[in-house]
Amino acid sequence: MDTKVIRMDEQHIDPAALREAGDIIKAGGLVAFPTETVYGLGGDALNPESSRKIYAAKGRPSDNPLIVHIADMAALKAIVKEIPESAERLAEAFWPGPLTMILMKSDLVPCETTGGLDTVAVRMPVHKVAREFIRAAGGYVAAPSANRSGRPSPTEAKYVAEDMDGRIEMIIDGGDVEIGLESTIVDLTVPQPMILRPGHITKEMLEDVLTCVEEDCTMMRDDSGQAPKAPGMKYRHYAPKGDLTIVAGTEDVVASYINEQLAEQRLIGKKTGVIGTDRTIGCYHADVCKSAGNREDEGTIARELYRILREFDDESVEVIYSEAFDTSGIGQAIMNRLLKAAGHKVVNVQ
Ligand code: AMP
Ligand code: MG
Protein backbone atom coordinates (compact mmCIF):
# COMPACT_ATOMS: atom_id res chain seq x y z
CA MET A 1 0.00 0.00 0.00
CA ASP A 2 1.19 3.54 -0.77
CA THR A 3 1.11 5.83 2.25
CA LYS A 4 0.11 9.36 1.33
CA VAL A 5 1.66 12.15 3.44
CA ILE A 6 -0.13 15.47 3.72
CA ARG A 7 1.14 18.48 5.62
CA MET A 8 -1.33 20.36 7.81
CA ASP A 9 -0.73 22.43 10.93
CA GLU A 10 -3.07 24.23 13.28
CA GLN A 11 -2.73 27.50 11.34
CA HIS A 12 -3.39 25.90 7.95
CA ILE A 13 -6.39 23.59 8.13
CA ASP A 14 -7.25 22.19 4.70
CA PRO A 15 -10.92 21.08 4.62
CA ALA A 16 -10.54 19.04 1.40
CA ALA A 17 -7.59 17.08 2.80
CA LEU A 18 -9.46 16.55 6.07
CA ARG A 19 -12.43 15.19 4.14
CA GLU A 20 -10.13 12.78 2.32
CA ALA A 21 -8.62 11.63 5.64
CA GLY A 22 -12.06 11.28 7.21
CA ASP A 23 -13.31 9.23 4.27
CA ILE A 24 -10.39 6.81 4.68
CA ILE A 25 -11.44 6.20 8.30
CA LYS A 26 -15.12 5.81 7.37
CA ALA A 27 -14.12 3.24 4.74
CA GLY A 28 -12.25 1.22 7.39
CA GLY A 29 -8.71 2.47 6.64
CA LEU A 30 -6.01 3.96 8.89
CA VAL A 31 -4.66 7.52 9.16
CA ALA A 32 -1.88 8.75 11.48
CA PHE A 33 -2.46 12.24 12.86
CA PRO A 34 -0.83 14.76 15.19
CA THR A 35 -2.09 15.41 18.73
CA GLU A 36 -0.57 17.52 21.50
CA THR A 37 0.88 14.42 23.20
CA VAL A 38 2.31 12.14 20.45
CA TYR A 39 1.17 11.08 16.94
CA GLY A 40 -1.84 8.75 16.96
CA LEU A 41 -2.64 5.86 14.59
CA GLY A 42 -6.32 6.35 13.90
CA GLY A 43 -9.08 3.99 12.81
CA ASP A 44 -12.89 3.95 13.24
CA ALA A 45 -13.37 3.12 16.95
CA LEU A 46 -16.80 1.64 16.28
CA ASN A 47 -15.62 -0.72 13.54
CA PRO A 48 -14.06 -3.96 14.87
CA GLU A 49 -12.25 -4.51 11.56
CA SER A 50 -10.51 -1.12 11.89
CA SER A 51 -9.29 -1.98 15.39
CA ARG A 52 -7.93 -5.30 14.09
CA LYS A 53 -6.06 -3.37 11.40
CA ILE A 54 -4.56 -1.03 14.02
CA TYR A 55 -3.22 -3.98 16.02
CA ALA A 56 -1.79 -5.52 12.86
CA ALA A 57 -0.15 -2.28 11.64
CA LYS A 58 1.46 -1.72 15.04
CA GLY A 59 2.32 -5.36 15.69
CA ARG A 60 0.55 -4.79 19.01
CA PRO A 61 -0.87 -7.57 21.21
CA SER A 62 -4.66 -7.45 20.90
CA ASP A 63 -5.20 -7.51 24.70
CA ASN A 64 -3.79 -3.97 24.86
CA PRO A 65 -6.83 -1.68 24.50
CA LEU A 66 -7.00 1.47 22.34
CA ILE A 67 -7.95 4.99 23.40
CA VAL A 68 -11.11 6.36 21.74
CA HIS A 69 -10.65 9.99 20.68
CA ILE A 70 -13.62 12.34 20.53
CA ALA A 71 -13.94 15.98 19.44
CA ASP A 72 -16.69 17.27 21.76
CA MET A 73 -18.62 16.41 24.94
CA ALA A 74 -21.76 15.54 22.98
CA ALA A 75 -19.93 12.49 21.59
CA LEU A 76 -19.15 11.00 25.02
CA LYS A 77 -22.65 9.89 26.00
CA ALA A 78 -23.11 7.27 23.28
CA ILE A 79 -19.96 5.27 24.06
CA VAL A 80 -20.23 5.00 27.86
CA LYS A 81 -22.81 3.44 30.21
CA GLU A 82 -22.88 6.51 32.42
CA ILE A 83 -20.95 9.70 32.95
CA PRO A 84 -20.00 9.89 36.63
CA GLU A 85 -19.81 13.32 38.24
CA SER A 86 -16.05 12.91 38.61
CA ALA A 87 -15.74 12.56 34.81
CA GLU A 88 -17.81 15.67 34.25
CA ARG A 89 -15.60 17.66 36.58
CA LEU A 90 -12.37 16.38 35.05
CA ALA A 91 -13.68 17.06 31.54
CA GLU A 92 -14.60 20.58 32.59
CA ALA A 93 -11.09 21.16 33.93
CA PHE A 94 -8.85 19.28 31.46
CA TRP A 95 -10.72 18.61 28.19
CA PRO A 96 -9.83 19.22 25.52
CA GLY A 97 -6.35 18.16 26.65
CA PRO A 98 -3.89 15.38 27.51
CA LEU A 99 -6.13 13.41 29.89
CA THR A 100 -7.63 9.96 29.18
CA MET A 101 -10.50 8.71 31.34
CA ILE A 102 -11.48 5.06 31.79
CA LEU A 103 -15.27 4.64 31.95
CA MET A 104 -17.75 1.75 31.62
CA LYS A 105 -18.35 1.18 27.91
CA SER A 106 -21.70 1.06 26.10
CA ASP A 107 -22.62 -1.66 23.59
CA LEU A 108 -21.70 0.69 20.74
CA VAL A 109 -17.99 0.14 21.40
CA PRO A 110 -16.77 -3.21 20.05
CA CYS A 111 -14.67 -5.49 22.26
CA GLU A 112 -11.90 -5.37 19.65
CA THR A 113 -11.37 -1.68 20.48
CA THR A 114 -11.22 -2.28 24.26
CA GLY A 115 -9.08 -5.42 24.17
CA GLY A 116 -12.03 -7.44 25.47
CA LEU A 117 -12.63 -5.18 28.51
CA ASP A 118 -16.04 -3.79 29.52
CA THR A 119 -14.41 -0.40 30.09
CA VAL A 120 -13.34 2.16 27.49
CA ALA A 121 -10.54 4.75 27.51
CA VAL A 122 -11.67 8.15 26.16
CA ARG A 123 -9.76 11.33 25.37
CA MET A 124 -10.60 14.66 23.77
CA PRO A 125 -7.38 16.11 22.33
CA VAL A 126 -6.84 19.88 22.16
CA HIS A 127 -4.80 19.83 18.92
CA LYS A 128 -6.94 21.56 16.31
CA VAL A 129 -5.95 19.25 13.43
CA ALA A 130 -6.74 16.21 15.58
CA ARG A 131 -10.20 17.49 16.47
CA GLU A 132 -11.13 18.52 12.96
CA PHE A 133 -9.91 15.14 11.72
CA ILE A 134 -11.97 13.28 14.34
CA ARG A 135 -15.07 15.22 13.26
CA ALA A 136 -14.38 14.47 9.57
CA ALA A 137 -13.95 10.78 10.48
CA GLY A 138 -17.39 10.46 12.06
CA GLY A 139 -16.62 11.40 15.67
CA TYR A 140 -14.94 8.31 17.16
CA VAL A 141 -11.31 7.58 16.32
CA ALA A 142 -9.49 4.74 18.09
CA ALA A 143 -5.85 5.72 18.25
CA PRO A 144 -2.87 4.27 20.02
CA SER A 145 0.50 5.92 19.49
CA ALA A 146 1.57 5.63 15.83
CA ASN A 147 4.72 3.56 16.42
CA ARG A 148 5.44 -0.11 15.82
CA SER A 149 5.05 -1.97 19.13
CA GLY A 150 8.27 -1.73 21.16
CA ARG A 151 9.45 1.51 19.54
CA PRO A 152 9.22 4.92 21.22
CA SER A 153 6.04 6.88 20.49
CA PRO A 154 6.51 9.24 17.50
CA THR A 155 6.86 12.94 18.22
CA GLU A 156 7.39 13.91 14.54
CA ALA A 157 5.74 12.70 11.32
CA LYS A 158 9.07 11.38 10.00
CA TYR A 159 9.13 8.85 12.86
CA VAL A 160 5.58 7.77 12.00
CA ALA A 161 6.74 7.22 8.41
CA GLU A 162 9.76 5.22 9.66
CA ASP A 163 7.43 2.79 11.44
CA MET A 164 4.25 2.90 9.33
CA ASP A 165 5.19 3.58 5.70
CA GLY A 166 3.36 1.09 3.48
CA ARG A 167 1.15 -0.12 6.35
CA ILE A 168 -1.44 2.69 6.50
CA GLU A 169 -3.30 4.85 3.98
CA MET A 170 -2.27 8.33 5.15
CA ILE A 171 -0.07 10.35 7.51
CA ILE A 172 -1.11 13.91 8.43
CA ASP A 173 2.14 15.76 9.14
CA GLY A 174 1.43 18.49 11.68
CA GLY A 175 5.04 19.16 12.65
CA ASP A 176 6.55 18.52 16.09
CA VAL A 177 4.18 17.68 18.94
CA GLU A 178 3.97 19.95 21.95
CA ILE A 179 4.15 17.62 24.96
CA GLY A 180 6.06 14.57 23.72
CA LEU A 181 4.73 11.98 26.23
CA GLU A 182 1.41 10.10 26.11
CA SER A 183 -1.68 11.30 28.01
CA THR A 184 -2.30 10.82 31.72
CA ILE A 185 -4.72 7.90 32.19
CA VAL A 186 -7.17 8.00 35.11
CA ASP A 187 -9.54 5.15 35.93
CA LEU A 188 -12.98 6.34 37.07
CA THR A 189 -14.58 2.88 37.25
CA VAL A 190 -13.10 2.15 40.69
CA PRO A 191 -14.33 3.55 44.05
CA GLN A 192 -11.31 5.90 44.30
CA PRO A 193 -10.11 7.50 41.02
CA MET A 194 -6.74 6.02 40.14
CA ILE A 195 -3.91 7.17 37.85
CA LEU A 196 -2.80 4.26 35.66
CA ARG A 197 -0.24 6.18 33.60
CA PRO A 198 1.38 9.51 34.58
CA GLY A 199 1.48 12.34 32.03
CA HIS A 200 1.35 16.10 31.59
CA ILE A 201 -1.75 16.32 33.83
CA THR A 202 -0.24 15.52 37.22
CA LYS A 203 -1.69 13.99 40.41
CA GLU A 204 -1.66 17.44 42.04
CA MET A 205 -3.66 18.90 39.15
CA LEU A 206 -6.21 16.06 39.35
CA GLU A 207 -6.46 16.44 43.13
CA ASP A 208 -7.29 20.12 42.73
CA VAL A 209 -10.50 18.89 41.10
CA LEU A 210 -11.22 15.54 42.78
CA THR A 211 -9.58 15.90 46.25
CA CYS A 212 -8.19 12.37 46.44
CA VAL A 213 -6.64 10.42 43.59
CA GLU A 214 -4.69 7.18 43.97
CA GLU A 215 -1.83 5.89 41.83
CA ASP A 216 -1.28 2.42 40.43
CA CYS A 217 1.62 1.19 42.57
CA THR A 218 3.34 -0.34 39.53
CA MET A 219 3.87 3.05 37.85
CA MET A 220 7.32 3.72 39.28
CA ARG A 221 8.33 0.26 40.60
CA ASP A 222 8.57 -3.20 39.12
CA ASP A 223 8.94 -5.11 42.42
CA SER A 224 5.36 -4.92 43.65
CA GLY A 225 4.55 -8.39 42.30
CA GLN A 226 1.33 -6.95 40.82
CA ALA A 227 0.26 -6.53 37.21
CA PRO A 228 -0.26 -2.91 36.07
CA LYS A 229 -3.94 -1.94 35.81
CA ALA A 230 -3.57 -0.45 32.31
CA PRO A 231 -2.90 -3.60 30.28
CA GLY A 232 -0.45 -1.73 28.01
CA MET A 233 1.81 -0.77 30.90
CA LYS A 234 2.91 -4.38 31.39
CA TYR A 235 4.75 -4.41 28.08
CA ARG A 236 8.34 -3.20 28.00
CA HIS A 237 7.60 -0.33 25.63
CA TYR A 238 10.08 2.22 24.42
CA ALA A 239 13.11 0.01 24.87
CA PRO A 240 16.10 1.26 22.89
CA LYS A 241 18.24 -1.39 21.17
CA GLY A 242 21.18 -0.38 23.39
CA ASP A 243 21.46 -1.42 27.03
CA LEU A 244 20.13 1.54 29.06
CA THR A 245 21.00 2.21 32.72
CA ILE A 246 19.70 5.16 34.79
CA VAL A 247 22.14 6.63 37.30
CA ALA A 248 20.68 8.53 40.26
CA GLY A 249 22.49 10.66 42.83
CA THR A 250 24.17 14.04 43.19
CA GLU A 251 25.33 15.67 39.97
CA ASP A 252 29.12 15.34 40.41
CA VAL A 253 29.01 11.76 41.66
CA VAL A 254 26.66 10.72 38.84
CA ALA A 255 28.96 12.29 36.22
CA SER A 256 32.10 10.61 37.55
CA TYR A 257 30.37 7.21 37.93
CA ILE A 258 29.03 7.41 34.36
CA ASN A 259 32.43 8.45 32.99
CA GLU A 260 34.10 5.47 34.74
CA GLN A 261 31.55 3.09 33.24
CA LEU A 262 31.96 4.67 29.80
CA ALA A 263 35.73 4.22 29.94
CA GLU A 264 35.30 0.50 30.77
CA GLN A 265 32.73 -0.04 28.01
CA ARG A 266 34.86 1.72 25.40
CA LEU A 267 37.85 -0.44 26.36
CA ILE A 268 35.86 -3.51 25.38
CA GLY A 269 34.87 -1.90 22.09
CA LYS A 270 31.28 -0.87 22.83
CA LYS A 271 29.71 2.19 21.22
CA THR A 272 28.58 4.34 24.16
CA GLY A 273 25.96 7.02 24.73
CA VAL A 274 24.82 9.39 27.48
CA ILE A 275 21.55 11.20 28.17
CA GLY A 276 22.39 14.31 30.20
CA THR A 277 21.07 17.85 30.47
CA ASP A 278 22.17 21.18 29.02
CA ARG A 279 24.27 21.97 32.10
CA THR A 280 26.03 18.61 32.44
CA ILE A 281 26.31 17.19 28.93
CA GLY A 282 29.74 18.74 28.33
CA CYS A 283 31.34 16.64 31.13
CA TYR A 284 30.71 13.25 29.55
CA HIS A 285 33.16 11.25 27.44
CA ALA A 286 30.91 9.03 25.33
CA ASP A 287 30.73 8.35 21.58
CA VAL A 288 27.28 9.99 21.48
CA CYS A 289 26.23 12.57 24.11
CA LYS A 290 22.70 13.98 24.02
CA SER A 291 21.14 16.64 26.20
CA ALA A 292 17.49 16.00 26.97
CA GLY A 293 17.00 19.68 27.83
CA ASN A 294 16.91 21.88 30.83
CA ARG A 295 16.13 20.69 34.38
CA GLU A 296 14.53 24.05 35.20
CA ASP A 297 11.97 23.44 32.43
CA GLU A 298 11.18 19.73 32.41
CA GLY A 299 8.73 20.22 29.51
CA THR A 300 11.83 20.42 27.30
CA ILE A 301 12.94 16.99 28.53
CA ALA A 302 9.49 15.45 27.95
CA ARG A 303 9.58 16.75 24.35
CA GLU A 304 13.07 15.40 23.60
CA LEU A 305 13.07 12.00 25.31
CA TYR A 306 11.54 9.79 22.59
CA ARG A 307 13.50 11.50 19.80
CA ILE A 308 16.72 10.84 21.69
CA LEU A 309 15.87 7.17 22.24
CA ARG A 310 15.18 6.76 18.50
CA GLU A 311 18.43 8.52 17.59
CA PHE A 312 20.45 6.17 19.79
CA ASP A 313 18.93 3.29 17.81
CA ASP A 314 19.73 5.00 14.48
CA GLU A 315 23.33 5.52 15.58
CA SER A 316 23.60 1.90 16.82
CA VAL A 317 24.69 2.88 20.32
CA GLU A 318 25.20 -0.29 22.37
CA VAL A 319 25.47 0.97 25.96
CA ILE A 320 23.60 4.05 27.24
CA TYR A 321 23.72 5.80 30.62
CA SER A 322 21.08 8.36 31.56
CA GLU A 323 20.90 10.82 34.40
CA ALA A 324 17.77 10.41 36.56
CA PHE A 325 15.11 13.12 36.72
CA ASP A 326 13.06 14.61 39.53
CA THR A 327 9.77 12.80 39.97
CA SER A 328 7.66 15.84 40.76
CA GLY A 329 5.28 17.36 38.18
CA ILE A 330 5.85 16.14 34.60
CA GLY A 331 9.09 14.58 35.93
CA GLN A 332 7.05 11.61 37.15
CA ALA A 333 5.91 10.88 33.58
CA ILE A 334 9.46 11.33 32.27
CA MET A 335 10.88 8.90 34.85
CA ASN A 336 8.02 6.42 34.30
CA ARG A 337 8.89 6.21 30.56
CA LEU A 338 12.64 6.19 31.20
CA LEU A 339 12.30 3.41 33.80
CA LYS A 340 10.33 1.33 31.31
CA ALA A 341 12.93 1.98 28.61
CA ALA A 342 15.65 0.85 31.02
CA GLY A 343 13.69 -2.20 32.22
CA HIS A 344 13.91 -0.53 35.69
CA LYS A 345 17.73 -0.75 35.73
CA VAL A 346 18.75 2.02 38.14
CA VAL A 347 22.08 2.51 39.94
CA ASN A 348 22.04 4.78 42.99
CA VAL A 349 25.37 6.49 43.63
CA GLN A 350 26.06 8.81 46.58
P1 AMP B 1 -1.40 4.15 23.70
O1 AMP B 1 -2.62 4.34 22.89
O2 AMP B 1 -0.26 3.56 22.94
O3 AMP B 1 -1.07 5.40 24.46
O4 AMP B 1 -1.81 3.08 24.76
C1 AMP B 1 -3.07 3.15 25.38
C2 AMP B 1 -2.91 2.85 26.84
O5 AMP B 1 -4.20 2.97 27.45
C3 AMP B 1 -2.40 1.45 27.09
O6 AMP B 1 -1.46 1.45 28.15
C4 AMP B 1 -3.69 0.74 27.48
O7 AMP B 1 -3.45 -0.38 28.28
C5 AMP B 1 -4.47 1.83 28.22
N1 AMP B 1 -5.92 1.56 28.18
C6 AMP B 1 -6.74 1.69 27.10
N2 AMP B 1 -7.99 1.30 27.42
C7 AMP B 1 -7.98 0.93 28.71
C8 AMP B 1 -8.97 0.43 29.62
N3 AMP B 1 -10.21 0.23 29.23
N4 AMP B 1 -8.59 0.14 30.89
C9 AMP B 1 -7.30 0.35 31.27
N5 AMP B 1 -6.32 0.82 30.46
C10 AMP B 1 -6.65 1.10 29.20
MG1 MG C 1 1.84 3.52 22.74
Side-chain angles (χ1 to χ4, degrees), residues 215-238:
E215 288 175 312
D216 183 348
C217 66
T218 66
M219 264 176 8
M220 309 302 283
R221 300 172 29 207
D222 71 342
D223 58 356
S224 63
Q226 289 185 36
K229 299 201 166 49
M233 299 298 275
K234 71 173 179 270
Y235 295 106
R236 190 187 160 197
H237 279 176
Y238 328 120

Short mmCIF file of all heavy atoms in Angstrom, two decimals, residues 215-238:
data_model
loop_
_atom_site.label_atom_id
_atom_site.label_comp_id
_atom_site.label_asym_id
_atom_site.label_seq_id
_atom_site.Cartn_x
_atom_site.Cartn_y
_atom_site.Cartn_z
N GLU A 215 -2.71 6.21 42.96
CA GLU A 215 -1.83 5.89 41.83
C GLU A 215 -1.63 4.39 41.79
O GLU A 215 -1.47 3.75 42.84
CB GLU A 215 -0.45 6.53 42.04
CG GLU A 215 -0.44 8.02 41.87
CD GLU A 215 0.93 8.61 42.19
OE1 GLU A 215 1.50 8.27 43.24
OE2 GLU A 215 1.42 9.39 41.38
N ASP A 216 -1.61 3.83 40.59
CA ASP A 216 -1.28 2.42 40.43
C ASP A 216 0.15 2.22 40.95
O ASP A 216 1.08 2.90 40.49
CB ASP A 216 -1.37 2.06 38.93
CG ASP A 216 -1.12 0.57 38.69
OD1 ASP A 216 -0.66 -0.13 39.62
OD2 ASP A 216 -1.38 0.11 37.56
N CYS A 217 0.31 1.31 41.92
CA CYS A 217 1.62 1.19 42.57
C CYS A 217 2.70 0.66 41.63
O CYS A 217 3.88 0.68 41.96
CB CYS A 217 1.51 0.33 43.82
SG CYS A 217 1.10 -1.37 43.43
N THR A 218 2.32 0.19 40.45
CA THR A 218 3.34 -0.34 39.53
C THR A 218 3.93 0.75 38.63
O THR A 218 4.82 0.47 37.83
CB THR A 218 2.73 -1.44 38.61
OG1 THR A 218 1.76 -0.83 37.75
CG2 THR A 218 2.08 -2.54 39.41
N MET A 219 3.43 2.00 38.78
CA MET A 219 3.87 3.05 37.85
C MET A 219 5.37 3.33 37.92
O MET A 219 6.01 3.55 36.90
CB MET A 219 3.11 4.36 38.14
CG MET A 219 1.92 4.53 37.26
SD MET A 219 0.88 5.97 37.56
CE MET A 219 1.67 6.99 38.73
N MET A 220 5.91 3.35 39.14
CA MET A 220 7.32 3.72 39.28
C MET A 220 8.17 2.57 39.80
O MET A 220 9.36 2.74 40.02
CB MET A 220 7.47 4.93 40.21
CG MET A 220 6.59 6.12 39.87
SD MET A 220 6.83 6.77 38.19
CE MET A 220 8.35 7.68 38.38
N ARG A 221 7.57 1.39 40.05
CA ARG A 221 8.33 0.26 40.60
C ARG A 221 7.98 -1.00 39.83
O ARG A 221 6.88 -1.13 39.33
CB ARG A 221 7.94 0.04 42.08
CG ARG A 221 8.21 1.21 42.94
CD ARG A 221 7.63 1.03 44.34
NE ARG A 221 7.55 -0.38 44.74
CZ ARG A 221 6.66 -0.84 45.61
NH1 ARG A 221 5.77 -0.04 46.14
NH2 ARG A 221 6.65 -2.12 45.93
N ASP A 222 8.91 -1.93 39.77
CA ASP A 222 8.57 -3.20 39.12
C ASP A 222 8.65 -4.35 40.11
O ASP A 222 8.60 -5.50 39.74
CB ASP A 222 9.46 -3.47 37.90
CG ASP A 222 10.87 -3.83 38.31
OD1 ASP A 222 11.24 -3.54 39.46
OD2 ASP A 222 11.59 -4.39 37.47
N ASP A 223 8.75 -4.03 41.43
CA ASP A 223 8.94 -5.11 42.42
C ASP A 223 7.71 -5.32 43.28
O ASP A 223 7.78 -5.94 44.33
CB ASP A 223 10.16 -4.79 43.30
CG ASP A 223 9.99 -3.45 44.03
OD1 ASP A 223 8.98 -2.77 43.78
OD2 ASP A 223 10.86 -3.11 44.83
N SER A 224 6.56 -4.81 42.82
CA SER A 224 5.36 -4.92 43.65
C SER A 224 4.72 -6.30 43.52
O SER A 224 3.86 -6.66 44.31
CB SER A 224 4.34 -3.86 43.25
OG SER A 224 3.95 -4.09 41.91
N GLY A 225 5.14 -7.07 42.52
CA GLY A 225 4.55 -8.39 42.30
C GLY A 225 3.16 -8.31 41.69
O GLY A 225 2.50 -9.32 41.52
N GLN A 226 2.68 -7.10 41.38
CA GLN A 226 1.33 -6.95 40.82
C GLN A 226 1.41 -6.60 39.34
O GLN A 226 2.38 -6.01 38.89
CB GLN A 226 0.61 -5.80 41.53
CG GLN A 226 0.23 -6.13 42.95
CD GLN A 226 -0.59 -5.01 43.56
OE1 GLN A 226 -1.40 -4.39 42.88
NE2 GLN A 226 -0.38 -4.78 44.83
N ALA A 227 0.33 -6.93 38.62
CA ALA A 227 0.26 -6.53 37.21
C ALA A 227 -0.26 -5.09 37.14
O ALA A 227 -1.15 -4.72 37.91
CB ALA A 227 -0.69 -7.45 36.46
N PRO A 228 0.27 -4.26 36.23
CA PRO A 228 -0.26 -2.91 36.07
C PRO A 228 -1.73 -2.96 35.68
O PRO A 228 -2.17 -3.89 35.01
CB PRO A 228 0.57 -2.33 34.92
CG PRO A 228 1.74 -3.21 34.77
CD PRO A 228 1.36 -4.55 35.29
N LYS A 229 -2.50 -1.92 36.08
CA LYS A 229 -3.94 -1.94 35.81
C LYS A 229 -4.27 -1.51 34.38
O LYS A 229 -5.32 -1.85 33.86
CB LYS A 229 -4.67 -1.09 36.84
CG LYS A 229 -4.43 -1.66 38.24
CD LYS A 229 -5.46 -1.24 39.24
CE LYS A 229 -5.39 -2.06 40.52
NZ LYS A 229 -4.04 -2.20 41.09
N ALA A 230 -3.40 -0.71 33.75
CA ALA A 230 -3.57 -0.45 32.31
C ALA A 230 -2.82 -1.58 31.60
O ALA A 230 -1.61 -1.70 31.75
CB ALA A 230 -2.98 0.90 31.92
N PRO A 231 -3.55 -2.41 30.85
CA PRO A 231 -2.90 -3.60 30.28
C PRO A 231 -1.61 -3.26 29.51
O PRO A 231 -0.63 -4.00 29.57
CB PRO A 231 -3.97 -4.15 29.33
CG PRO A 231 -5.26 -3.66 29.90
CD PRO A 231 -4.98 -2.34 30.53
N GLY A 232 -1.61 -2.10 28.83
CA GLY A 232 -0.45 -1.73 28.01
C GLY A 232 0.80 -1.48 28.83
O GLY A 232 1.91 -1.58 28.31
N MET A 233 0.64 -1.14 30.10
CA MET A 233 1.81 -0.77 30.90
C MET A 233 2.65 -1.99 31.28
O MET A 233 3.74 -1.86 31.81
CB MET A 233 1.37 -0.01 32.16
CG MET A 233 0.63 1.29 31.89
SD MET A 233 1.60 2.53 30.99
CE MET A 233 2.49 3.30 32.35
N LYS A 234 2.11 -3.20 31.03
CA LYS A 234 2.91 -4.38 31.39
C LYS A 234 3.96 -4.70 30.33
O LYS A 234 4.91 -5.43 30.58
CB LYS A 234 2.02 -5.60 31.66
CG LYS A 234 1.35 -6.18 30.43
CD LYS A 234 0.64 -7.48 30.80
CE LYS A 234 -0.06 -8.12 29.62
NZ LYS A 234 -1.44 -7.68 29.44
N TYR A 235 3.78 -4.14 29.14
CA TYR A 235 4.75 -4.41 28.08
C TYR A 235 5.95 -3.50 28.23
O TYR A 235 5.80 -2.35 28.62
CB TYR A 235 4.10 -4.21 26.70
CG TYR A 235 3.01 -5.20 26.45
CD1 TYR A 235 1.68 -4.83 26.50
CD2 TYR A 235 3.31 -6.53 26.20
CE1 TYR A 235 0.66 -5.75 26.30
CE2 TYR A 235 2.30 -7.46 25.99
CZ TYR A 235 0.98 -7.06 26.05
OH TYR A 235 0.00 -7.97 25.86
N ARG A 236 7.15 -4.05 27.90
CA ARG A 236 8.34 -3.20 28.00
C ARG A 236 8.42 -2.34 26.75
O ARG A 236 9.14 -2.61 25.82
CB ARG A 236 9.60 -4.05 28.17
CG ARG A 236 10.80 -3.19 28.52
CD ARG A 236 12.09 -3.98 28.52
NE ARG A 236 13.19 -3.05 28.37
CZ ARG A 236 14.40 -3.40 28.03
NH1 ARG A 236 14.69 -4.66 27.79
NH2 ARG A 236 15.34 -2.49 27.91
N HIS A 237 7.61 -1.28 26.75
CA HIS A 237 7.60 -0.33 25.63
C HIS A 237 8.92 0.38 25.52
O HIS A 237 9.74 0.32 26.41
CB HIS A 237 6.56 0.76 25.91
CG HIS A 237 5.17 0.34 25.58
ND1 HIS A 237 4.10 1.13 25.84
CD2 HIS A 237 4.70 -0.76 25.01
CE1 HIS A 237 3.00 0.52 25.45
NE2 HIS A 237 3.34 -0.63 24.95
N TYR A 238 9.08 1.16 24.50
CA TYR A 238 10.08 2.22 24.42
C TYR A 238 11.50 1.75 24.64
O TYR A 238 12.37 2.53 24.98
CB TYR A 238 9.81 3.34 25.45
CG TYR A 238 8.38 3.61 25.80
CD1 TYR A 238 7.94 3.47 27.10
CD2 TYR A 238 7.49 4.00 24.82
CE1 TYR A 238 6.62 3.72 27.43
CE2 TYR A 238 6.17 4.25 25.14
CZ TYR A 238 5.74 4.11 26.45
OH TYR A 238 4.46 4.36 26.77
#
